[in-house]
Coordinates of all heavy atoms in Angstrom, one line a residue:
L164 N 161.2 -58.4 -46.5 CA 160.4 -57.1 -46.7 C 161.0 -56.4 -47.9 O 162.2 -56.2 -48.1 CB 160.6 -56.2 -45.5 CG 160.1 -56.7 -44.2 CD1 160.3 -55.7 -43.1 CD2 158.6 -57.0 -44.3
Y168 N 161.6 -47.3 -52.8 CA 162.2 -45.9 -52.8 C 161.3 -45.1 -53.8 O 161.2 -45.4 -54.9 CB 163.7 -45.9 -53.3 CG 164.6 -46.6 -52.4 CD1 164.7 -47.9 -52.5 CD2 165.4 -45.8 -51.6 CE1 165.7 -48.5 -51.7 CE2 166.4 -46.4 -50.8 CZ 166.4 -47.7 -50.8 OH 167.4 -48.4 -50.0
T210 N 173.4 -35.2 -55.2 CA 173.1 -35.1 -56.6 C 173.4 -36.4 -57.2 O 172.8 -36.8 -58.3 CB 173.9 -34.0 -57.3 OG1 175.3 -34.3 -57.0 CG2 173.5 -32.7 -56.7
Q231 N 162.6 -30.9 -68.1 CA 163.6 -29.8 -67.8 C 163.8 -29.8 -66.4 O 163.0 -29.9 -65.5 CB 163.0 -28.5 -68.3 CG 162.6 -28.5 -69.8 CD 161.9 -27.2 -70.2 OE1 162.5 -26.1 -69.8 NE2 161.0 -27.3 -71.0
L257 N 147.8 -43.9 -46.6 CA 148.9 -44.9 -46.5 C 148.3 -46.2 -46.0 O 147.6 -46.2 -45.0 CB 150.0 -44.3 -45.7 CG 150.7 -43.1 -46.2 CD1 151.8 -42.7 -45.2 CD2 151.4 -43.3 -47.5
A283 N 157.4 -67.3 -29.5 CA 155.9 -66.9 -29.5 C 155.3 -67.1 -28.1 O 154.6 -66.2 -27.6 CB 155.2 -67.8 -30.5
D297 N 149.3 -54.6 -14.8 CA 148.6 -53.3 -14.9 C 147.3 -53.4 -14.1 O 146.9 -52.4 -13.5 CB 148.3 -53.0 -16.4 CG 149.4 -52.4 -17.1 OD1 150.4 -51.9 -16.4 OD2 149.4 -52.3 -18.4
F300 N 148.2 -53.3 -10.2 CA 148.8 -51.9 -9.8 C 147.8 -50.9 -9.9 O 147.8 -49.9 -9.1 CB 150.1 -51.6 -10.6 CG 151.3 -52.4 -10.2 CD1 152.1 -53.0 -11.1 CD2 151.7 -52.5 -8.9 CE1 153.2 -53.7 -10.8 CE2 152.8 -53.2 -8.5 CZ 153.6 -53.8 -9.4
L313 N 149.7 -45.6 -14.6 CA 149.1 -45.6 -15.9 C 149.4 -46.9 -16.5 O 150.4 -47.6 -16.4 CB 149.5 -44.5 -16.9 CG 151.0 -44.1 -17.0 CD1 151.7 -45.1 -18.0 CD2 151.2 -42.7 -17.5
R348 N 163.6 -56.9 -21.2 CA 165.0 -56.9 -21.1 C 165.5 -57.5 -19.7 O 166.8 -57.5 -19.6 CB 165.5 -55.4 -21.2 CG 165.2 -54.9 -22.7 CD 165.8 -53.5 -23.0 NE 166.0 -53.4 -24.4 CZ 167.0 -52.7 -25.0 NH1 167.9 -52.2 -24.2 NH2 167.1 -52.7 -26.3
G361 N 158.6 -46.1 -4.6 CA 159.6 -45.2 -4.4 C 160.4 -45.5 -3.0 O 160.7 -44.5 -2.2
Q371 N 161.5 -39.9 -8.7 CA 160.8 -39.9 -10.0 C 159.3 -40.2 -9.7 O 159.0 -40.9 -8.7 CB 161.3 -40.8 -11.0 CG 162.4 -40.3 -11.9 CD 161.8 -39.4 -13.0 OE1 160.6 -39.0 -13.0 NE2 162.5 -39.1 -14.0
I394 N 162.6 -37.6 -27.7 CA 162.8 -37.8 -29.1 C 164.1 -37.2 -29.7 O 164.8 -37.9 -30.4 CB 161.5 -37.3 -29.9 CG1 160.2 -37.8 -29.2 CG2 161.5 -37.8 -31.3 CD1 159.0 -37.3 -29.8
E530 N 131.0 -47.6 -25.2 CA 130.9 -48.7 -26.3 C 132.2 -48.8 -27.1 O 132.6 -49.9 -27.5 CB 129.6 -48.4 -27.1 CG 128.3 -48.5 -26.4 CD 128.0 -47.2 -25.6 OE1 128.8 -46.2 -25.8 OE2 127.1 -47.2 -24.8
V542 N 146.2 -59.1 -27.1 CA 146.6 -60.2 -26.3 C 145.7 -61.4 -26.8 O 146.2 -62.5 -27.1 CB 146.3 -59.9 -24.8 CG1 146.6 -61.2 -24.0 CG2 147.1 -58.8 -24.4
E562 N 147.2 -71.5 -15.6 CA 148.5 -71.6 -14.7 C 149.3 -70.4 -14.8 O 149.7 -69.8 -13.8 CB 149.3 -72.8 -15.2 CG 150.5 -73.0 -14.4 CD 151.3 -74.2 -14.8 OE1 150.8 -75.1 -15.6 OE2 152.5 -74.4 -14.4
S585 N 166.7 -42.1 2.1 CA 167.0 -41.1 3.1 C 166.8 -39.7 2.6 O 166.8 -39.5 1.4 CB 168.4 -41.2 3.5 OG 168.9 -40.2 4.2
F590 N 169.3 -34.6 -2.4 CA 170.2 -33.6 -2.8 C 171.5 -34.1 -3.5 O 172.4 -33.4 -3.9 CB 170.6 -32.7 -1.6 CG 169.4 -32.2 -0.9 CD1 169.0 -32.8 0.2 CD2 168.9 -31.0 -1.3 CE1 167.8 -32.3 0.9 CE2 167.8 -30.4 -0.7 CZ 167.2 -31.1 0.4
L599 N 176.4 -24.6 -2.7 CA 175.9 -23.9 -1.5 C 174.4 -23.8 -1.4 O 173.8 -24.0 -0.3 CB 176.6 -22.5 -1.4 CG 176.2 -21.6 -0.1 CD1 176.7 -22.3 1.1 CD2 176.8 -20.3 -0.2
E605 N 168.8 -28.1 1.9 CA 168.8 -29.2 2.8 C 168.6 -28.8 4.3 O 167.9 -29.4 5.1 CB 170.0 -30.1 2.7 CG 170.1 -31.3 3.5 CD 171.2 -32.2 3.4 OE1 172.2 -31.8 2.6 OE2 171.3 -33.3 4.0
A611 N 162.4 -27.8 9.0 CA 161.0 -28.0 8.9 C 160.6 -29.3 9.6 O 159.6 -29.4 10.3 CB 160.5 -27.9 7.5
A615 N 158.3 -29.8 13.0 CA 157.0 -30.5 13.0 C 157.2 -32.0 12.6 O 156.8 -32.4 11.5 CB 156.0 -29.8 12.0
K617 N 155.8 -34.7 13.4 CA 154.6 -35.5 13.1 C 154.0 -35.3 11.7 O 153.2 -36.1 11.3 CB 153.5 -35.2 14.2 CG 153.9 -35.6 15.6 CD 152.7 -35.4 16.6 CE 153.1 -35.8 18.0 NZ 152.0 -35.5 19.0
Y619 N 155.9 -35.2 9.2 CA 156.8 -35.8 8.2 C 156.6 -37.3 8.2 O 156.4 -37.9 9.4 CB 158.3 -35.4 8.7 CG 159.3 -35.8 7.6 CD1 159.4 -35.0 6.4 CD2 160.1 -36.8 7.8 CE1 160.3 -35.3 5.5 CE2 161.1 -37.1 6.8 CZ 161.2 -36.4 5.7 OH 162.1 -36.6 4.7
P620 N 156.6 -38.0 7.2 CA 156.5 -39.5 7.1 C 157.5 -40.2 8.0 O 158.7 -40.0 7.9 CB 156.7 -39.8 5.6 CG 156.4 -38.6 4.9 CD 156.9 -37.5 5.8
D622 N 158.4 -43.2 7.9 CA 159.2 -44.3 7.2 C 160.3 -43.7 6.3 O 161.0 -44.5 5.6 CB 158.4 -45.2 6.3 CG 157.6 -44.5 5.2 OD1 157.5 -43.2 5.3 OD2 157.1 -45.2 4.3

Side-chain angles (χ1 to χ4, degrees):
L164 295 181
Y168 292 78
T210 54
Q231 300 179 43
L257 296 177
D297 276 348
F300 282 132
L313 51 78
R348 294 189 155 214
Q371 270 282 15
I394 312 176
E530 295 78 12
V542 180
E562 182 179 348
S585 170
F590 307 95
L599 183 61
E605 184 176 3
K617 292 183 179 181
Y619 193 75
D622 61 342

